[in-house]
Amino acid sequence: MNATSSLAPTDPEFDYIIVGAGSAGCVLANRLSANGKHSVLLLEAGPKDSNIWIHVPLGYGKLFKEKSVNWMYQTEPEPELKGRQVFQPRGKTLGGSSSINGLLYVRGQHEDYDRWRQLGNTGWGYDDVLPYFKRAENQSRGADQYHGTGGPLPVSNMIVTDPLSKAFIDAAVESGLPYNPDFNGATQEGVGLFQTTTRNGRRASTSVAYLGPAKSRSNLKIETSAHAQRILFEGRRAVGVEYRQGAALRRARARREVVVSSGAYNSPQLLQLSGVGPGDLLRKHGIEVVLDAAGVGHDLQDHMQVRIVMRCSQKITLNDTINHPLRRTMAGARYALFRKGWLTIAAGTAG
Ligand SMILES: Cc1cc2nc3c(=O)[nH]c(=O)nc-3n(C[C@H](O)[C@H](O)[C@H](O)COP(=O)(O)OP(=O)(O)OC[C@H]3O[C@@H](n4cnc5c(N)ncnc54)[C@H](O)[C@@H]3O)c2cc1C
């Protein structure tokens, strides 16, 4: 395949083309179009985020294997797991994975950012990124050294007070772990309740938080069901994108930049399909090499998740509610009327 530009003078032109309207893409679409001076095209392979379960926090469970909004990847057989393949959900809709994720607001450890800086990534130490976290945030507990208010991303306490979560925290503290009221504060270590990216019991994806306020801007064009096939190059310069939308193969030109925000799996895939990646691999598949970059598509790190199932001696669990027709109906009505109750919970309550 030839990735060099086959753009025609009639192809539409934008200052920026953003490929992928996920966590990163929606933020960039908002920020790059904010001053009104630049035209921005945002391409999203998935549909609009109109599935109602996207907006109900408990809907997380429904979307985990919902192929209309989820790429539903499977890893290759993993040698370290005796050849097991692991299911890898990824969002495929406006908001991307922030529309299907577990809603837990956890920035990560200070030390991890500092290590990135030590490795030579200037600007990525914890002190460097903290002002941006604060600026993004609308923290329901108010502003402090680690938190901001007035930003686009709402961060809220859990609405449900759940006796099992409290028992879990108490047990952990009894066994010697420190209680931590804020996993995004001075340290991540310890046990406590999570905060969530929600507002009034509804999911605040980046589509809601960032694209919502921007989508009526005349300089921002959003195309859904628009699957980028390759970045177009003139020499080493990215000048456009070719994308499939329904039966049509379309092209658009970028005057300034093509931003690849297609997620941890699809970004390297798109780069490789466009000729940026390990040269030998690309040639094997008949792709013309624009840049021989061995690292593209390598060194992915992810966290393992192990599910532990316990029997509870009292009928106080979420399962007791959703498996009981009357209690389930009441929980649905409570959510519809007051945005409270079990439907407001995220993928986890305490950690
Ligand atoms: C099930 C699940 C639970 C999670 N739980 C949590 C949690 O509780 N807390 C937390 O902090 N993080 C959680 N995460 C992780 C977090 O959601 C992701 O790290 C984050 O959303 C990644 O953002 P991104 O912008 O890199 O990619 P994404 O948000 O995945 O966005 C990529 C977008 O690009 C689109 N795209 C891909 N390829 C193309 C193409 N060729 N053309 C056009 N569009 C394309 C995709 O459809 C998608 O919309 C979870 C993730 C998942 C999947």
Side-chain angles (χ1 to χ4, degrees):
M1 195 198 290
N2 189 334
T4 44
S5 168
S6 36
L7 283 156
T10 48
D11 288 326
E13 266 192 33
F14 300 85
D15 289 314
Y16 296 96
I17 302 179
I18 302 171
V19 185
S23 291
C26 290
V27 175
L28 286 161
N30 179 318
R31 304 289 294 138
L32 288 171
S33 63
N35 68 10
K37 290 187 192 152
H38 300 124
S39 58
V40 177
L41 172 65
L42 177 63
L43 298 174
E44 170 52 46
K48 291 197 172 122
D49 52 341
S50 45
N51 182 320
I52 57 163
W53 288 112
I54 289 175
H55 304 284
V56 180
L58 192 65
Y60 162 79
K62 292 241 175 219
L63 305 174
F64 202 73
K65 292 200 169 171
E66 171 50 58
K67 69 173 188 309
S68 62
V69 294
N70 189 333
W71 292 89
M72 293 187 42
Y73 289 129
Q74 199 79 24
T75 69
E76 296 294 316
E78 300 290 341
E80 296 84 358
L81 300 175
K82 290 197 171 167
R84 246 178 79 187
Q85 290 180 277
V86 183
F87 179 61
Q88 295 287 327
R90 288 275 115 187
K92 186 186 183 183
T93 179
L94 291 181
S97 297
S98 80
S99 286
I100 70 159
N101 73 10
L103 303 100
L104 307 179
Y105 183 66
V106 187
R107 297 171 181 171
Q109 304 211 142
H110 302 198
E111 296 82 351
D112 288 342
Y113 293 95
D114 290 342
R115 187 156 171 273
W116 286 354
R117 182 169 54 193
Q118 281 161 15
L119 290 171
N121 300 296
T122 310
W124 284 95
Y126 185 73
D127 292 345
D128 302 313
V129 298
L130 181 59
Y132 296 98
F133 277 126
K134 289 168 77 171
R135 183 173 163 189
E137 199 180 6
N138 193 9
Q139 170 60 247
S140 68
R141 294 176 184 170
D144 65 18
Q145 185 188 350
Y146 296 103
H147 296 284
T149 51
L153 187 69
V155 178
S156 310
N157 289 337
M158 208 80 72
I159 293 178
V160 174
T161 36
D162 162 33
L164 286 174
S165 305
K166 187 173 177 309
F168 172 81
I169 293 170
D170 290 347
V173 171
E174 264 176 40
S175 75
L177 277 176
Y179 174 65
N180 189 344
D182 182 4
F183 291 131
N184 303 296
T187 173
Q188 207 180 353
E189 186 158 351
V191 58
L193 290 172
F194 289 114
Q195 285 200 298
T196 59
T197 41
T198 55
R199 177 169 28 216
N200 299 330
R202 285 175 63 86
R203 179 192 288 273
S205 66
T206 54
S207 169
V208 170
Y210 284 86
L211 210 51
K215 65 183 171 200
S216 58
R217 292 177 190 156
S218 58
N219 58 330
L220 172 62
K221 190 169 166 61
I222 304 168
E223 293 285 0
T224 50
S225 303
H227 190 174
Q229 307 291 299
R230 57 186 182 133
I231 302 158
L232 302 169
F233 286 91
E234 281 169 7
R236 287 271 183 93
R237 188 179 159 77
V239 292
V241 176
E242 183 175 82
Y243 63 98
R244 186 165 290 287
Q245 199 172 32
L249 192 61
R250 303 184 199 281
R251 293 190 190 94
R253 179 180 282 276
R255 275 185 292 261
R256 284 170 173 251
E257 288 181 30
V258 174
V259 179
V260 182
S261 52
S262 313
Y265 300 100
N266 292 36
S267 288
Q269 184 211 26
L270 182 63
L271 287 169
Q272 288 185 359
L273 290 173
S274 311
V276 179
D280 290 345
L281 177 75
L282 302 190
R283 279 186 285 270
K284 198 169 116 192
H285 293 283
I287 298 170
E288 183 190 314
V289 179
V290 173
L291 181 70
D292 188 345
V296 175
H298 283 277
D299 300 330
L300 176 82
Q301 293 185 24
D302 201 352
H303 59 82
M304 292 295 284
Q305 180 179 11
V306 179
R307 205 167 280 244
I308 303 170
V309 182
M310 308 254 194
R311 188 178 296 279
C312 182
S313 58
Q314 298 172 45
K315 289 206 173 305
I316 52 172
T317 71
L318 170 62
N319 287 339
D320 293 313
T321 298
I322 56 178
N323 294 328
H324 188 284
L326 180 62
R327 283 196 217 153
R328 187 171 57 223
T329 309
M330 282 170 58
R334 189 159 180 234
Y335 182 76
L337 291 172
F338 308 113
R339 298 264 182 270
K340 290 207 170 4
W342 281 117
L343 275 83
T344 65
I345 72 162
T349 53

